[in-house]
Amino acid sequence: LATKISNNPDDLESKLMLAELFMMEARISGEHGHYYPAALNLIDEVLTQEVKDPIVYRAKLDKASVLLSLHRFEEAKLLGEEALKVNPYSADIYGVLVDANVELGNYDIAVGYADKMVSIRPDLRSYSRISYLREIHGMVDEAIAAMKMAVTAGYPGMEQTEWARLTLGHLYDRYGMQDSALLQYALALEARPNYPFAIAAMADIYAKLGEIAKSDSLSDLAMHLIPEVGFYMSRANLEMQKGNSKKAGELTQDILEMLAEDETSGHKMNLEMAGVYIDLLKQPEQALKYALMEYEIRPSNIDVNKMLAELYYVLDNPAKSEEHLHKALVTGTKDPETRCLEGVLMAKTANAEVGVKQLQGVFANNPNLQCRICDEARAIVL
């Protein structure tokens, strides 16, 4: 492709194919800071030309997809809406609009786009989005069923298929079914050997189960395979729990450098920075600054509001915590971490009995749950 472009700078098809290759390589290699800007440069070269459909549609679709990966959700939504006007008959653009509207907290709009997407092409990509929307609306069993359909619809071993299988494992893990999660990760590794995200996910579960040596070994392997910041954050948190502050500090410095590199390449990392400051640096005030920056961009997103609810609780501001918790629960999510915080807040008010019962239910369903409020929550129900 590079040779074709060198020989013919007006070969727009080859430029888009190379950009799409870069987008895939970013997912596989974890080198976001290199491949996403490279993809954007090629796509922008195409969009500056006087091009018509289908090239213009494909270029806008690709650019919107990259912007999603860079957490530039409003830009992705606007560009996706432009692409939709060019071609309203492709399932792919509806997927972009589902993702963008979910991240912006426009959940009803996202559901409409997901219905349209799955009616055009019922496949891995549409089933996985249906699954996510079901989960955030509290339909956990239905979400698992849809993600199973996504996995079945994919070709074993392909990155997209094993990503869906990984997500199915995350669903099992989140709702207390660690054995089922481990099985999915093992299947992913059988189909795609050395798949780093499955290895890291296994490491996280073994850490929860107290098998620290096995967790450390798998974590080392995942971090060796690709420079994924999430792997480093999980390991740093585990080192903090083990009391290994020196190792945790070294990893935290690596994380800050990686996040700075991502920011330089156009990747918005406010929530990740908030997580580093609250979990690793123990600076909740600074974490709040980053979370509020993200809240200004997407005030209706349930994950952003969940982070703010947790931070305000840590900062001993229960009124603000409850305010954002209410927004985090607007879709009816059964996310155990969010429900744990809700139970703790109720347990400290006139609804103490209800709160304790809720916490008992959370830990009965997920005894290995780990979260920022979990230690305090367990102390309440003991």
Side-chain angles (χ1 to χ4, degrees), residues 41-314:
N41 287 338
L42 285 167
I43 297 167
D44 285 338
E45 286 180 20
V46 173
L47 288 172
T48 57
Q49 305 294 314
E50 290 294 329
V51 293
K52 297 180 180 179
D53 190 44
I55 290 292
V56 68
Y57 164 75
R58 186 171 157 195
K60 289 184 175 182
L61 172 67
D62 286 346
K63 184 170 183 178
S65 298
V66 175
L67 292 172
L68 281 173
S69 297
L70 296 175
H71 297 179
R72 293 158 61 178
F73 304 119
E74 183 64 31
E75 295 174 70
K77 182 178 82 73
L78 295 174
L79 194 60
E81 289 168 348
E82 290 180 21
L84 183 64
K85 294 176 183 178
V86 177
N87 182 2
Y89 307 108
S90 168
D92 293 331
I93 194 57
Y94 290 101
V96 166
L97 290 168
V98 169
D99 295 345
N101 280 286
V102 163
E103 297 295 348
L104 292 169
N106 305 326
Y107 299 108
D108 290 343
I109 295 173
V111 168
Y113 282 131
D115 284 344
K116 184 67 174 179
M117 183 184 188
V118 77
S119 71
I120 295 173
R121 187 195 299 163
D123 64 0
L124 182 154
R125 287 170 288 186
S126 55
Y127 290 142
S128 61
R129 287 173 170 89
I130 294 293
S131 173
Y132 183 65
L133 285 166
R134 286 177 173 179
E135 188 209 349
I136 63 177
H137 284 88
M139 303 165 63
V140 177
D141 291 340
E142 294 87 346
I144 290 172
M147 194 57 72
K148 286 181 178 178
M149 293 171 69
V151 172
T152 303
Y155 188 85
M158 290 189 66
E159 194 275 342
Q160 297 94 327
T161 306
E162 302 319 316
W163 181 266
R165 198 187 307 275
L166 179 84
T167 307
L168 175 60
H170 289 335
L171 275 170
Y172 283 129
D173 180 27
R174 191 173 302 122
Y175 294 97
M177 295 170 275
Q178 277 76 41
D179 287 345
S180 296
L182 284 170
L183 174 59
Q184 294 304 316
Y185 303 148
L187 290 171
L189 286 169
E190 182 178 342
R192 192 177 180 87
N194 274 343
Y195 184 39
F197 292 97
I199 294 170
M202 277 186 162
D204 289 343
I205 289 188
Y206 284 124
K208 291 180 185 177
L209 298 177
E211 298 186 42
I212 303 303
K214 187 180 291 188
S215 175
D216 286 351
S217 177
L218 290 167
S219 175
D220 287 340
L221 176 57
M223 290 191 293
H224 173 74
L225 288 168
I226 65 170
E228 171 61 38
V229 69
F231 300 171
Y232 283 72
M233 292 175 75
S234 292
R235 182 59 177 273
N237 276 298
L238 180 58
E239 295 298 337
M240 288 281 287
Q241 293 170 22
K242 291 191 292 185
N244 192 349
S245 57
K246 183 175 184 295
K247 179 66 172 178
E250 293 171 353
L251 288 167
T252 300
Q253 186 57 45
D254 291 338
I255 291 166
L256 290 172
E257 291 174 4
M258 295 165 76
L259 292 176
E261 180 183 340
D262 283 340
E263 288 276 1
T264 300
S265 64
H267 204 154
K268 304 298 183 183
M269 306 297 284
N270 289 329
L271 275 193
E272 288 79 3
M273 289 296 291
V276 171
Y277 274 98
I278 181 61
D279 296 327
L280 300 175
L281 297 174
K282 307 302 180 184
Q283 298 178 28
E285 295 86 356
Q286 188 65 24
L288 181 63
K289 291 179 182 179
Y290 280 104
L292 287 172
M293 287 167 59
E294 194 64 20
Y295 182 72
E296 289 182 11
I297 299 170
R298 42 194 189 125
S300 299
N301 179 272
I302 59 174
D303 293 323
V304 176
N305 280 287
K306 173 188 169 186
M307 172 66 82
L308 283 168
E310 291 175 343
L311 288 173
Y312 278 120
Y313 181 81
V314 171

Side-chain angles (χ1 to χ4, degrees), residues 338-355:
T338 309
R339 292 297 181 181
C340 185
L341 176 58
E342 182 186 33
V344 169
L345 285 169
M346 286 193 296
K348 295 192 170 186
T349 67
N351 294 318
E353 184 177 347
V354 176

Side-chain angles (χ1 to χ4, degrees), residues 306 309-310 313 321-322 324-330 332-349 351-352 354-359 362 371 373 377 380:
K306 173 188 169 186
E310 291 175 343
Y313 181 81
S321 181
E322 288 183 8
H324 288 284
L325 179 64
H326 177 75
K327 295 179 181 179
L329 291 168
V330 69
T333 178
K334 293 180 181 176
D335 170 57
E337 294 182 10
T338 309
R339 292 297 181 181
C340 185
L341 176 58
E342 182 186 33
V344 169
L345 285 169
M346 286 193 296
K348 295 192 170 186
T349 67
N351 294 318
V354 176
V356 170
K357 286 184 178 179
Q358 175 154 315
L359 291 174
V362 167
C371 64
I373 315 297
I380 291 173

